[in-house]
Amino acid sequence: MGLEIKILGPWETTADDEPVRLTGERRVGVLTRLALSAGQPVSADELLAQVWGQGTATTAGKQLHIVVSKLRGLLSPYQDDDVIATVSGGYQLNLACERVDAHLFSLLGRQARAARAHGEITKADVLFRRALALWRGDALAGLTASWAQVESARLEEERLATLEDHIDLRLAAGDHHAAVPVLTAHVEAHPLRERSRAQLMLALYRAARTSEALAVYQETRRVMVDELGIEPGAALRRLRQAVLRRDPALDLTSPAQRATVVEPAVPVELPADTRFFTARATESAWLHRTLTDIVPGSPAVAAINGPGGVGKSALAVHAAHTIADRFADGVLHVDLRAATAGLQPLSPYEALSRLLRSLGLDRAALPATLDEAAARYRSLTSTRKLLVILDDALDASQVRPLIPAGPSCAVIVTSRQILASLDSTSHLRLTGLDPADAAALFARIVDAGRVRAEPDAAQRIARQCGGLPLALRIAAARLAAQPDRTLTQLADQLADPSSRLDALEHADLAIRDSIAVSLQHLPGRPVGRDAAHTFLLLGSMETATHTVPATSALTDWPEHRAETALHHLLDARLLEPAGPGRYRMHDLIRLYAREQAALHLPEPVRVTASPPRFDRA
């Protein structure tokens, strides 16, 4: 990728997608000023006047030379020794214009307008979108010098003109429905721009919202009279008259107008709902409220956390089916694979690439970096009404770039961890089913005749599965695969602690695998080693509940170290809270911990020199 300078937002310099650390107001100022004239000379006098200011010291020339020397030393490893060349009377940044986002923006805008002039509507649309996606905020954000403010205002005006040119293209192509929310936000942010007001009126008229189009004119007149003391311009007045008389000239009639821009893909990726979904009425109602009570300005985000096998994904999919019809732009679903045995979790970039392809972006057009992919994702989702399901997330850093930008969007995240650092997120802690609901679920997924024949055994099986829907599914699958086996035989096998985990394994489903994945994702050394060792020690205990003092005594560690290990096990859902200062280990997890302790803990028990590798017993 090489060296890149980004000024369409907070100032940033990268080399091969890695940030280049540059400190000092004058260094940043000089490099930015040279970047704005990349490939062209900038006089030393101009640099001194703009970066050093009016009260330029007599030593300023020497200071400029030192600053340039420091910049060359910093940048030359990523470009060459002539990245900043000395020219007659000044300096020149020898960097291709497309390596400076402001110049790339201007270039893409010119290419888009040329494509439009040649009737290449789809190509022009793509170029306009690429140009506008480069913006990450206010240009030259953070630079306060007067010259920087002037340049920022110039670039902002260029952005607004480019956005309005793109809107013209979309309106000519019949994309007026999708343009209305974009224009509404644009007009609110820039109320004195008559061009965008006219565009909004036209878009509303073509969307059969004539009264709203006329209301835009009235609001425009009020704002202009109040703010500027003048009436709207002639073009806006003519448009109002054309709307009032329903002038055919406002309609889409010509072949060029009937051309289409790139149509946003409408993904329908919601997995099938399970017909065996049982209970969870309170949780389903909470999800429905959270995802449909839209808060202005940001998408609704609901994060479901809980141990492996507790039914987080099933609940998310079930809830999504009840509200999917509210999201006109479709449903996205991505499995982030944080708890899939044998697979690594998706990186944020991999997940974004999948989402962008689902939104219609061709594989060849995928941005090359995480930041660029995230920016494109925000752009594509900013005006859409999407439901996004992010299933099986590892942590907040994996999820954060995947949250859509559109305030009409909604997101369901499932994770074993509580993603507490995600902003504006509502959290739901999912626990195991109570005995009655567990028995009801088991009765729904097993042959009804077998349950009626052995109701007591069915109740025993449900209890031994500890309220985990995954365990109940495995038990039911084993019975379906062995039609001659009685429920009593399976209940007896589950009642024996030494064979219970063996009984809860069928085909590609295994309780052991589910638990082992949580252990594999414990944090790195030394805290991960402590948590893993504590897990083994707790598994060797006869009690299911634990406290910090007891764990401190068991590990022979200070209480703060023992508490940290317990908290990591709690985060991984290998422990559950059991009251103030108390922790509980689920029976099935404790059985697995006991197996692993027998494999990895020597006698007498001692702290291992390295974390154990948790395999299936």
Side-chain angles (χ1 to χ4, degrees):
M1 296 293 293
L3 187 67
E4 293 183 297
I5 298 175
K6 301 176 183 179
I7 58 179
L8 299 182
W11 188 91
E12 182 181 339
T13 296
T14 62
D16 298 326
D17 295 329
E18 294 296 325
V20 176
R21 181 173 174 78
L22 178 59
T23 58
E25 183 178 349
R26 286 174 176 169
R27 294 183 194 179
V28 171
V30 168
L31 183 56
T32 302
R33 183 61 192 84
L34 292 173
L36 285 166
S37 300
Q40 300 293 325
V42 180
S43 71
D45 289 342
E46 186 175 352
L47 288 170
L48 289 170
Q50 292 182 340
V51 178
W52 269 255
Q54 295 299 320
T56 304
T58 56
T59 60
K62 183 176 181 180
Q63 292 174 17
L64 173 59
H65 179 76
I66 292 172
V67 165
V68 170
S69 178
K70 293 290 187 182
L71 288 172
R72 285 170 173 161
L74 180 70
L75 301 178
S76 59
Y78 310 110
Q79 188 80 3
D80 55 50
D81 291 336
D82 295 325
V83 62
I84 300 178
T86 299
V87 297
S88 176
Y91 301 94
Q92 177 175 308
L93 180 67
N94 289 328
L95 189 66
C97 286
E98 60 268 22
R99 296 293 184 183
V100 180
D101 61 355
H103 294 301
L104 178 59
F105 170 72
S106 299
L107 173 63
L108 291 171
R110 290 194 298 272
Q111 291 175 343
R113 294 179 186 96
R116 179 185 61 188
H118 287 88
E120 298 173 307
I121 304 302
T122 299
K123 179 179 178 181
D125 177 62
V126 170
L127 290 167
F128 274 128
R129 291 178 189 273
R130 283 183 59 196
L132 293 165
L134 292 172
W135 284 76
R136 299 169 292 113
D138 294 335
L140 281 75
L143 297 181
T144 58
S146 58
W147 70 269
Q149 297 302 306
V150 170
E151 288 294 332
S152 177
R154 178 186 66 79
L155 290 167
E156 174 64 8
E157 179 59 34
E158 186 178 352
R159 182 187 75 84
L160 294 176
T162 301
L163 173 62
E164 290 164 1
D165 285 348
H166 186 212
I167 291 293
D168 276 344
L169 178 84
R170 295 175 65 182
L171 292 177
D175 197 26
H176 40 268
H177 289 287
V180 167
V182 178
L183 280 166
T184 300
H186 182 44
V187 164
E188 289 176 357
H190 306 280
L192 298 179
R193 293 184 72 85
E194 289 193 56
R195 181 185 180 188
S196 55
R197 295 267 188 179
Q199 290 174 324
L200 179 56
M201 287 179 65
L202 181 59
L204 289 167
Y205 176 79
R206 288 180 177 170
R209 297 161 66 175
T210 303
S211 61
E212 293 175 68
L214 293 171
V216 169
Y217 178 84
Q218 295 301 329
E219 173 63 12
T220 303
R221 183 178 183 278
R222 184 194 66 78
V223 169
M224 297 192 70
V225 170
D226 290 350
E227 297 290 332
L228 303 176
I230 60 174
E231 293 285 337
L236 208 58
R237 296 197 301 271
R238 286 195 298 269
L239 177 59
R240 174 177 177 269
Q241 292 300 319
V243 170
L244 285 169
R245 65 175 180 266
R246 299 185 181 277
D247 192 331
L250 300 181
D251 298 330
L252 291 166
T253 55
S254 72
Q257 288 175 321
R258 289 195 295 269
T260 57
V261 297
V262 176
E263 287 295 329
V266 180
V268 186
E269 299 180 349
L270 182 59
D273 198 3
T274 173
R275 61 190 179 94
F276 300 123
F277 191 84
T278 304
R280 306 295 196 195
T282 300
E283 294 88 346
S284 296
W286 179 88
L287 276 170
H288 190 279
R289 283 195 311 274
T290 301
L291 297 168
T292 57
D293 291 348
I294 302 299
V295 177
S298 61
V301 183
I304 308 170
N305 68 83
V310 80
K312 301 181 294 296
S313 298
L315 173 61
V317 169
H318 179 74
H321 273 278
T322 67
I323 61 172
D325 59 355
R326 294 171 175 259
F327 297 90
D329 294 312
V331 181
L332 294 166
H333 178 277
V334 59
D335 180 1
L336 298 174
R337 300 194 321 208
T340 304
L343 295 177
Q344 288 296 313
L346 292 184
S347 69
Y349 178 78
E350 290 172 322
L352 274 173
S353 296
R354 295 188 181 195
L355 290 167
L356 289 171
R357 291 198 299 272
S358 294
L359 290 171
L361 200 63
D362 185 81
R363 184 184 295 271
L366 288 175
T369 69
L370 174 61
D371 286 347
E372 291 171 339
R376 189 62 186 275
Y377 179 64
R378 291 192 299 271
S379 176
L380 290 175
T381 59
S382 62
T383 60
R384 298 197 192 185
K385 195 168 186 179
L386 287 161
L387 176 61
V388 182
I389 303 170
L390 304 173
D391 196 19
D392 200 9
L394 178 63
D395 53 29
S397 64
Q398 185 190 34
V399 169
R400 194 170 288 110
L402 313 181
I403 303 298
S408 297
C409 295
V411 184
I412 308 176
V413 187
T414 71
S415 177
R416 297 191 181 189
Q417 290 198 29
I418 301 175
L419 306 179
S421 63
L422 276 184
D423 295 335
S424 304
T425 299
S426 301
H427 299 275
L428 172 66
R429 176 172 168 257
L430 200 62
T431 57
L433 296 169
D434 63 36
D437 288 337
L441 175 58
F442 185 73
R444 290 193 65 183
I445 57 181
V446 176
D447 179 78
R450 298 173 78 174
V451 173
R452 284 195 299 269
E454 299 180 88
D456 291 341
Q459 293 279 350
R460 290 171 57 203
I461 292 171
R463 286 196 301 272
Q464 296 294 350
C465 288
L468 291 184
L470 174 61
L472 293 164
R473 283 176 54 207
I474 296 172
R478 292 201 65 148
L479 289 168
Q482 298 172 302
D484 296 332
R485 191 180 193 191
T486 67
L487 271 64
T488 298
Q489 288 173 322
L490 178 58
D492 290 343
Q493 185 180 3
L494 288 169
D496 182 355
S498 66
S499 61
R500 190 179 306 167
L501 294 181
D502 292 330
L504 294 176
E505 180 173 340
H506 180 75
D508 62 338
L509 299 176
I511 290 295
R512 285 190 180 97
D513 288 345
S514 177
I515 301 169
V517 169
S518 289
L519 286 159
Q520 290 161 7
H521 291 315
L522 286 172
R525 300 181 185 181
V527 293
R529 182 180 62 189
D530 281 359
H533 185 67
T534 301
F535 178 76
L536 298 182
L537 293 176
L538 297 182
S540 66
M541 303 292 290
E542 292 301 323
T543 178
T545 59
H546 311 279
T547 64
V548 171
T551 305
S552 175
L554 180 66
T555 57
D556 197 25
W557 296 338
E559 286 196 5
H560 69 85
R561 182 178 175 186
E563 185 175 27
T564 298
L566 290 170
H567 282 173
H568 282 300
L569 293 175
L570 187 68
D571 288 342
R573 286 298 178 270
L574 295 168
L575 291 176
E576 291 295 323
R582 299 182 67 82
Y583 306 83
R584 178 183 179 275
M585 186 176 283
H586 190 281
D587 288 346
L588 296 178
I589 296 177
R590 187 154 59 99
L591 289 176
Y592 179 78
R594 184 176 300 172
E595 286 184 350
Q596 295 298 315
L599 290 173
H600 297 290
L601 284 183
E603 292 292 343
V605 175
R606 66 174 185 268
V607 177
T608 56
S610 60
R613 175 180 176 180
F614 291 98
D615 302 312
R616 292 172 50 189

